[in-house]
Amino acid sequence: MINTGVASFAQERRVRVVAGAPHPGHGAPHPALRAKNVPLLCRLPERVDVVALSAAVRALVERHPVLQYRFLHRDGRVSLRWAGAGVADVECAVVDRSALGTADGAVRAFLRAQVDAPFDLLGWPLLRAGVIQDDRPLFYLCADHTVCDGWSMTVAMRDIEAAYTGLLRGRTVELRPPGDYLRYSAAQRRRYTSGPAVERAVDGVRAMLAGRAVEPAFPLPAAPWDAEHGRYTEFDLLDAAAAGRLLDYCRSRRATPYMAVLAAFGVAAREIAGRAEVGVLVAMHNRDERHTADSVGWYANMLALYFPTFPVDRFDDGVRAVRDRLMRLLVFAELPLSRVADDLADTNDNGAGVRFPTCFISLTDARTPPSAGGSGRWEQLDLAPSYRMGYGLWVVLHDTGLRAVTASPRTSAGVASLAGLESRIADVLRSAAVPATA
């Protein structure tokens, strides 16, 4: 085991900001912004063997190198040092459901507290796990975004479930060899530190932005924002039948459901705020290869997507516009935003997440694969990440339909705008998913 490693561009940038050494164009972060945690929430079929579950969480740490290192920040430099000798101390916390009381929302409030609590970014480990013990227990895991992304939590659930099941049955469950984020990080450094190819890519993104901010601001009038507290919502967009019709609609137009969601967001922003163009951050997961698909780490790259908005009666035009802009953006999918943000930043506008909220939208397909045969025993549930740096909309395609969760700083003046936005997005998608015979 090597004792040191190199941080990725994204890791280095986050550590520097949180550690209090701001990048150009960024002020010191509000303390509430230090928590940028990615959660996993699962419902289990029966009461948990906590000893076995703790061992399964330790197996996750032992399996993925990125979880075994701590960050060092000295003289403006960020490095990694192996801390995995302490893996034996990693435990799964347990609380009985009855201890949380009977008040409505008590369980959700407890889970939010676990997810929202910031990690000491220079400490270790940068994850916590626990279980709410009950006849159908809830298992939660959250990690600082610096060591994982949303895809990583799906990998983590598979790995922990397999290890836990194997321990209960007294046998090892074989999994494919995982990728190593540290190797990915080192390769990223070699590829994107400098050189003509990097300069051409940066110039290409600069031309595409055409003076727009690298980190798009939330486009609706919802200020002032209160970063001390979070606003979290959950709502259904489409039932299973309507979601199926939306998929048919998208296929007929060579589009994806994500493009339809973005176009619906554009309709809502146009109607509520009069915006002829909006910008959002989109995630490029960069998980196309086996060694990244099965690995825990911060592989997702973020890039700014700007697109024109259209009224609802021209929704097809909106979908086409989103598709066109998104396809052009995909050329730069592997160019780390954290590497080029300072090169591209207009210091008068950059710094979203410090001075004003960003806007982030994602869509995940969580439908059960046909090959799974319904054998999954752990049911993954929706839980918004800790996200106070902006307005985040996470849309998930389930077997039961299309569902959304949001996270943002709390706002008093903007409650009506946010609620109207979310309601209108749902309305627009329902209108796109009307039956073909209607």
Side-chain angles (χ1 to χ4, degrees):
M1 175 63 64
I2 58 175
N3 289 326
T4 60
V6 58
S8 69
F9 290 112
Q11 289 177 326
E12 179 182 54
R13 191 170 191 244
R14 172 155 164 74
V15 170
R16 282 180 170 172
V17 169
V18 172
H23 275 48
H26 290 261
H30 189 289
L33 301 181
R34 295 174 186 260
K36 193 176 182 183
N37 304 338
V38 183
L40 169 70
L41 177 63
C42 302
R43 190 184 306 279
L44 279 57
E46 57 190 4
R47 291 185 71 86
V48 168
D49 181 328
V50 178
V51 173
L53 189 57
S54 292
V57 173
R58 289 193 290 272
L60 176 78
V61 176
E62 292 171 340
R63 178 172 163 81
H64 296 281
V66 70
L67 302 177
Q68 301 166 21
Y69 284 74
R70 68 186 304 157
F71 293 96
L72 303 177
H73 180 244
R74 294 174 181 169
D75 301 324
R77 298 185 62 184
V78 177
S79 61
L80 299 173
R81 185 169 296 277
W82 189 64
V87 69
D89 298 326
V90 175
E91 294 288 341
C92 182
V94 59
V95 60
D96 197 86
R97 170 65 184 85
S98 61
L100 300 180
T102 59
D104 292 343
V107 170
R108 184 62 59 159
F110 174 81
L111 291 169
R112 279 258 57 100
Q114 303 309 307
V115 171
D116 289 353
F119 290 94
D120 173 6
L121 199 53
L122 301 182
W124 187 88
L126 293 178
L127 83 167
R128 67 176 68 98
V131 62
I132 301 176
Q133 189 72 284
D134 202 353
D135 291 338
R136 292 292 309 278
L138 293 172
F139 168 72
Y140 65 86
L141 175 74
C142 74
D144 191 282
H145 193 7
T146 318
V147 295
C148 80
D149 53 20
W151 186 305
S152 296
M153 282 303 176
T154 300
V155 174
M157 184 183 78
R158 180 204 63 194
D159 288 3
I160 294 173
E161 181 182 7
Y164 177 72
T165 302
L167 287 165
L168 293 184
R169 296 177 179 176
R171 60 181 177 83
T172 301
V173 176
E174 294 295 330
L175 296 171
R176 292 196 299 251
D180 183 344
Y181 183 76
L182 273 66
R183 295 182 184 276
Y184 172 89
S185 175
Q188 184 190 70
R189 289 279 178 175
R190 291 192 296 269
R191 183 176 180 185
Y192 290 109
T193 295
S194 62
V198 177
E199 293 176 7
R200 287 193 296 271
V202 172
D203 287 343
V205 175
R206 181 181 287 110
M208 182 177 294
L209 290 173
R212 303 178 183 94
V214 179
E215 297 173 289
F218 185 64
L220 269 65
W225 300 93
D226 175 12
E228 290 281 2
H229 303 92
R231 174 188 182 269
Y232 301 98
T233 64
E234 305 174 32
F235 54 97
D236 292 318
L237 292 168
L238 301 172
D239 61 21
R245 292 193 295 270
L246 180 68
L247 293 175
D248 291 339
Y249 168 91
C250 292
R251 280 191 289 266
S252 69
R253 290 156 178 81
R254 295 184 300 157
T256 66
Y258 182 51
M259 296 172 185
V261 168
L262 290 173
F265 176 83
V267 171
R270 185 183 187 92
E271 293 179 354
I272 296 172
R275 301 299 295 263
E277 180 184 75
V278 293
V280 302
L281 284 171
V282 299
M284 306 293 177
H285 289 290
N286 296 329
R287 298 281 195 147
D288 295 332
E289 299 179 12
R290 173 72 58 84
H291 71 277
T292 58
D294 296 324
S295 176
V296 170
W298 191 356
Y299 293 93
N301 186 31
M302 307 288 283
L303 293 175
L305 173 71
Y306 289 89
F307 57 91
T309 65
F310 290 87
V312 67
D313 60 357
R314 295 181 58 193
F315 186 67
D316 286 2
D317 293 334
V319 172
R320 280 192 291 269
V322 169
R323 182 185 62 195
D324 175 65
R325 297 292 178 89
L326 189 57
M327 295 304 292
R328 280 191 265 168
L329 191 67
L330 288 173
V331 174
F332 306 101
E334 296 182 44
L335 180 66
L337 174 65
S338 48
R339 156 65 180 83
V340 303
D342 294 333
D343 294 342
L344 297 171
D346 176 346
T347 56
N348 294 318
D349 293 330
N350 195 39
V354 176
R355 293 200 298 272
F356 57 80
T358 58
C359 185
F360 170 72
I361 300 177
S362 76
L363 187 145
T364 301
D365 188 342
R367 291 174 295 175
T368 305
S371 59
S375 61
R377 293 170 296 278
W378 289 25
E379 177 189 2
Q380 187 170 354
L381 306 177
D382 298 328
L383 182 64
S386 171
Y387 191 70
R388 304 283 175 80
M389 299 184 72
Y391 180 87
L393 171 65
W394 288 266
V395 179
V396 185
L397 180 60
H398 293 289
D399 295 328
T400 55
L402 201 64
R403 184 163 175 78
V405 297
T406 73
S408 71
R410 189 179 296 175
T411 174
S412 54
V415 170
S417 290
L418 296 182
L421 171 80
E422 291 153 6
S423 176
R424 190 58 182 138
I425 290 172
D427 290 342
V428 174
L429 290 174
R430 291 188 192 108
S431 68
V434 295
T437 56

